[in-house]
Amino acid sequence: MDLDKEFEENFLIILGYSYRLDDISQRLFFTFSEAVYAINLDKLMRNNDSLKLNSIVYILVLESIIKEYKTKEINIEQKQKALDIYKKIEEKKAAENKKYHMYQY
């Protein structure tokens, strides 16, 4: 997939996040729900840059999930990249939360 760097990173983050669910039907349903929520929020907040980004990225993620759903084929390389990026983000969040909680005591 030849995407703009910003789109590719967000695509992989959202795709990686979707892989937290094993069931493909649930992945499709919840990703679609998240897309509707994110896009509606962008419209409400009049955030046109985020609206464009989310619209493009969620279409690409949903397209990928639908393809997997219909063909039962998984792009292993793409899945691994998505899981790696998602894992890095979760580790970063955990480290920030740990730092925040240290200040609470």
Side-chain angles (χ1 to χ4, degrees):
M1 190 175 298
D2 189 27
L3 292 174
D4 180 279
K5 183 78 173 149
E6 182 182 18
F7 292 143
E8 181 180 28
E9 186 173 336
N10 283 283
F11 167 78
L12 291 171
I13 290 168
I14 294 168
L15 186 63
Y17 184 68
S18 80
Y19 279 116
R20 75 195 187 286
L21 300 169
D22 291 328
D23 182 89
I24 186 80
S25 299
Q26 287 183 345
R27 286 181 52 223
L28 185 56
F29 174 79
F30 284 108
T31 304
F32 181 78
S33 298
E34 291 164 4
V36 170
Y37 175 79
I39 290 167
N40 280 339
L41 186 60
D42 290 337
K43 284 183 177 181
L44 184 66
M45 301 300 286
R46 293 186 174 93
N47 188 342
N48 291 330
D49 291 338
S50 183
L51 176 63
K52 178 183 176 186
L53 177 71
N54 279 327
S55 296
I56 291 169
V57 169
Y58 273 106
I59 287 170
L60 295 171
V61 171
L62 288 167
E63 179 183 52
S64 177
I65 295 171
I66 290 167
K67 182 178 178 185
E68 182 183 330
Y69 181 80
K70 290 172 73 175
T71 65
K72 308 293 185 234
E73 294 176 17
I74 299 171
N75 182 332
I76 300 298
E77 182 182 333
Q78 186 179 65
K79 179 180 180 179
Q80 193 56 54
K81 281 174 77 174
L83 289 172
D84 290 346
I85 285 182
Y86 179 69
K87 182 180 175 185
K88 284 179 189 174
I89 288 172
E90 288 300 304
E91 288 170 353
K92 185 178 177 182
K93 271 199 270 183
E96 289 173 5
N97 286 340
K98 184 177 179 183
K99 188 169 44 175
Y100 173 75
H101 289 299
M102 283 179 29
Y103 293 118
Q104 298 249 318
Y105 295 107

